[in-house]
């Protein structure tokens, strides 16, 4: 099963740019309409007050109902806003308490790990017996017990496809650094001294990279980028789904060059998702090594490949750029947008583990996440709010995720369904950002210009 016949997703949850208040798209759209109606009624009242007569109708009989209707609209909009703010505040308080508890537990676990390791070194027999016994308890289907475990996980995708599991992963991502400090003897009450702007996500990822390096994992290397195709499309993208559809795979980077007489040259950069999930680096730079290095705030191979492709496409530091990415591509797109080396004015990310990266002012766009997709949670909670945050449960209610697919809520077809829902959204918060993204390429073909596509493929070397 690779696609869904009917959309099983839930409602869109929207956090407008610059806020931390979560609305549903429907309620936000209703608030927009109430606000517009209130303004219209206010203008009507001014017209009535300025009129000499109303064709025989008493002005005193018209003004009170108009004022009452205007006041009701204002009151309803205020109450909607208050409910959304109270809900968001309660959720934030709950999340803060959970993170503090997770940090305490991680620190305590870290404190006992050295003792546990010493006991294992001195007497490894009990642990060995438990490990071998657990391994032998798994059925062997002839392909090996690892294949059996893999098949069992694919047959039970609900274990990793739920908002509750996503919350657990997010708490884990912000607690790894606490566990590492506990292992070195730093008590929990000293943790505030090590606090960071990203809840310790970057230092936790760095810990993972460092520990993995001991076993030969997460080895970064140089990358080489080659342009493999050049073509000219007919139009600029329209809508969230069209943006996502242009994100490449296999050939990891697509750059659209917008040129027209009398118009500034602009560039849209589309960045593909992870291609291999092995922690051991091969020739593929869109791998777990780049994921870990990216979340850690280092210089992953996929980022360097994208920037090399941008230079090859002729992008200079002052040129206006729009970035779009899915999964790891969204992480790298966010890193490009955050870099002072590039003039990124628009961004759209889907399922990106990039919540711990801060963006500069002046970047318009959307950050899309499925709330039952644990991949974005690997970067912890969403801390930056320059972009409109749009969330939706891919498999809502009693809808079971499809079997035989790893992480169904993170698959492209799940985000395609969410993108379709975004294109149908009615709230001004979403519509305004989509309009900004669409306007980036408006008028180039119509004014005698062209949109040229360059596709790039990168490999690791050394």
């Amino acid at each position: 099963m690779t696609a869904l016949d009917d959309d099983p997703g839930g409602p869109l949850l929207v956090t407008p740019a610059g806020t931390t208040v979560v609305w549903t798209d429907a309620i936000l759209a209703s608030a927009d309409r109430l606000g517009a109606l209130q303004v219209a009624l206010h203008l009507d009242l001014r017209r009535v007050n300025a009129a000499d007569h109303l064709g025989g109708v008493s002005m005193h009989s018209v003004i009170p109902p108009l004022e009452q209707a205007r006041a009701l609209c204002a009151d309803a909009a205020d109450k909607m806003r208050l409910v959304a703010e109270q809900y968001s505040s309660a959720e934030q308080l709950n999340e803060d308490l959970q993170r503090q508890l997770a940090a305490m537990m991680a620190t305590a676990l870290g404190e006992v790990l050295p003792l546990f390791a010493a006991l294992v070194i001195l007497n490894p027999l009990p642990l060995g017996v438990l490990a071998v016994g657990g391994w032998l308890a798994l059925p062997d289907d002839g392909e090996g017990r690892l294949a059996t475990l893999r098949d069992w996980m694919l047959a039970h995708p609900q274990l990793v496809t739920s908002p509750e599991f996503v919350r657990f992963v997010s708490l884990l991502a912000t607690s790894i650094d606490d566990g590492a400090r506990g292992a070195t003897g730093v008590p929990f009450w000293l943790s505030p001294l090590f606090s960071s702007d990203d809840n310790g996500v970057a230092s936790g990822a760095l810990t993972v990279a460092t520990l993995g390096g001991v076993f030969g994992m997460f080895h970064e290397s140089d990358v080489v980028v080659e342009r493999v195709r050049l073509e000219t499309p007919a139009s600029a993208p329209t809508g969230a789904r069209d943006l996502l559809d242009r994100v490449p795979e296999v050939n990891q980077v697509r750059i659209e060059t917008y040129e027209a007489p009398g118009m500034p040259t602009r560039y849209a950069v589309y960045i593909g998702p992870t291609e291999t999930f092995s922690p051991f680096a091969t020739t593929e730079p869109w791998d777990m090594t780049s994921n870990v290095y990216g979340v850690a705030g280092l210089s992953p191979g996929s980022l360097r490949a994208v920037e090399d492709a941008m230079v090859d496409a002729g992008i200079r530091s002052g040129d206006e750029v729009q970035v779009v990415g899915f999964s790891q591509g969204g992480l790298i797109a966010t890193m490009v947008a955050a870099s002072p080396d590039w003039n990124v004015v628009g961004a759209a990310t889907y399922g990106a583990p990039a919540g711990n990266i801060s963006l500069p002012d002046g970047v318009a766009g959307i950050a899309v996440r499925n709330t039952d997709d644990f991949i974005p949670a690997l970067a912890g909670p969403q801390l930056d709010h320059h972009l409109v945050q749009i969330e939706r449960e891919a498999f809502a209610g009693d809808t079971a995720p499809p079997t035989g697919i790893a992480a169904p809520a993170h698959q492209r077809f799940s985000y395609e369904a969410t993108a379709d829902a975004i294109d149908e959204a009615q709230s001004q918060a979403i519509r305004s950002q989509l309009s900004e993204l669409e306007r980036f390429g408006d008028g180039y073909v119509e004014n005698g210009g062209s949109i040229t596509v360059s596709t790039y493929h990168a490999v690791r070397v050394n």
Side-chain angles (χ1 to χ4, degrees):
M1 183 175 183
T2 58
L4 301 175
D5 297 329
D6 298 313
D7 181 13
L12 292 176
L13 304 177
V14 186
T15 305
T19 77
T20 58
V21 180
V22 180
W23 305 68
T24 66
D25 174 66
I27 292 179
L28 194 54
S30 296
D32 291 340
R33 288 191 288 270
L34 284 169
L37 181 57
Q38 178 189 352
V39 171
L41 288 169
H42 177 72
L43 292 175
D44 288 341
L45 278 168
R46 292 181 60 181
R47 294 190 188 98
V48 169
N49 284 319
D52 294 331
H53 60 85
L54 295 174
V57 179
S58 170
M59 294 179 62
H60 296 293
S61 66
V62 174
I63 292 177
L66 284 175
E67 175 57 34
Q68 184 180 21
R70 187 205 63 77
L72 285 173
C73 288
D75 183 60
D78 288 342
K79 287 180 178 177
M80 284 183 178
R81 189 173 296 107
L82 181 61
V83 169
E85 289 174 353
Q86 290 177 339
Y87 169 80
S88 298
S89 297
E91 280 289 294
Q92 187 60 53
L93 177 61
N94 180 45
E95 184 168 311
D96 290 343
L97 291 174
Q98 289 183 356
R99 292 197 186 284
Q100 292 177 18
L101 179 60
M104 292 176 62
M105 294 175 63
T107 302
L109 180 61
E111 289 173 350
V112 302
L113 278 179
L115 176 61
F116 181 73
L119 291 175
V120 170
I121 292 173
L122 293 174
N123 186 15
L125 182 60
L127 181 63
V129 169
L130 287 174
V132 172
W135 187 250
L136 292 176
L138 289 173
D140 191 346
D141 59 1
E143 296 182 3
R145 289 184 171 81
L146 277 178
T148 299
L149 181 59
R150 177 204 63 203
D151 293 343
W152 189 86
M153 291 296 295
L154 291 176
H156 299 82
Q158 66 274 13
L159 296 176
V160 298
T161 309
S162 70
E164 293 75 23
F165 183 76
V166 170
R167 178 64 63 88
F168 167 77
V169 171
S170 181
L171 293 173
L172 181 63
T174 58
S175 303
I176 294 175
D177 61 325
D178 295 292
R181 285 194 291 269
T184 59
V186 178
F188 175 75
W189 55 270
L190 284 179
S191 291
L193 297 178
F194 301 91
S195 61
S196 62
D197 293 337
D198 69 345
N199 286 329
V201 170
S203 57
L206 181 59
T207 299
V208 171
T210 302
L211 293 176
V214 175
F215 301 97
M217 297 185 288
F218 309 126
H219 173 66
E220 262 300 346
S221 64
D222 294 334
V223 293
V224 174
V225 180
E226 178 184 5
R227 180 158 51 182
V228 296
R229 191 165 62 249
L230 187 67
E231 58 184 284
T232 304
S235 62
T238 57
R241 175 63 184 272
D242 197 4
L243 289 168
L244 177 58
D245 285 346
R246 298 190 184 206
V247 172
E249 296 201 34
V250 183
N251 293 324
Q252 312 101 331
V253 185
R254 168 191 172 110
I255 298 180
E256 295 178 352
T257 303
Y258 299 81
E259 297 175 293
M263 301 179 71
T265 302
R266 289 176 168 175
Y267 302 86
V269 180
Y270 300 85
I271 309 169
T274 302
E275 294 290 342
T276 175
F277 293 90
S278 172
F280 296 96
T282 58
T283 59
E284 173 58 68
W286 265 252
D287 57 2
M288 288 305 297
T289 298
S290 286
N291 278 321
V292 173
Y293 269 62
V295 175
L298 301 175
S299 179
S302 54
L303 171 64
R304 286 178 276 119
V306 168
E307 294 187 316
D308 287 349
M310 292 171 68
V311 171
D312 183 82
I315 304 178
R316 297 166 299 182
S317 60
D319 293 331
E320 289 188 342
V321 178
Q322 185 163 283
V323 291
V324 182
F326 167 48
S327 187
Q328 182 180 150
L331 166 62
I332 301 306
T334 307
M335 296 183 77
V336 171
S339 171
D341 297 333
W342 308 104
N343 180 27
V344 175
V345 297
T349 64
Y350 303 81
N356 64 322
I357 300 175
S358 296
L359 295 178
D361 293 334
V363 182
I366 57 176
V368 182
R369 293 179 298 276
N370 289 333
T371 58
D372 44 354
D373 172 15
F374 70 88
I375 298 298
L378 294 171
Q382 181 65 36
L383 300 179
D384 184 88
H385 291 280
H386 282 85
L387 306 181
V388 170
Q389 310 296 316
I390 306 175
E391 297 181 310
R392 191 179 82 137
E393 190 173 358
F395 302 98
D398 296 330
T399 303
T403 60
I405 301 174
H410 188 66
Q411 297 300 317
R412 186 185 280 261
F413 65 78
S414 292
Y415 277 96
E416 288 171 347
T418 298
D420 287 338
I422 292 172
D423 286 334
E424 296 174 1
Q426 299 299 312
S427 63
Q428 185 60 27
I430 293 179
R431 301 263 36 107
S432 63
Q433 295 304 305
L434 286 181
S435 295
E436 285 293 322
L437 294 171
E438 291 170 351
R439 277 198 292 267
F440 184 81
D442 279 353
Y444 279 82
V445 174
E446 293 81 357
N447 290 323
S450 63
I451 303 174
T452 305
V453 176
S454 299
T455 304
Y456 292 87
H457 186 81
V459 296
R460 288 191 182 279
V461 294
N462 298 334

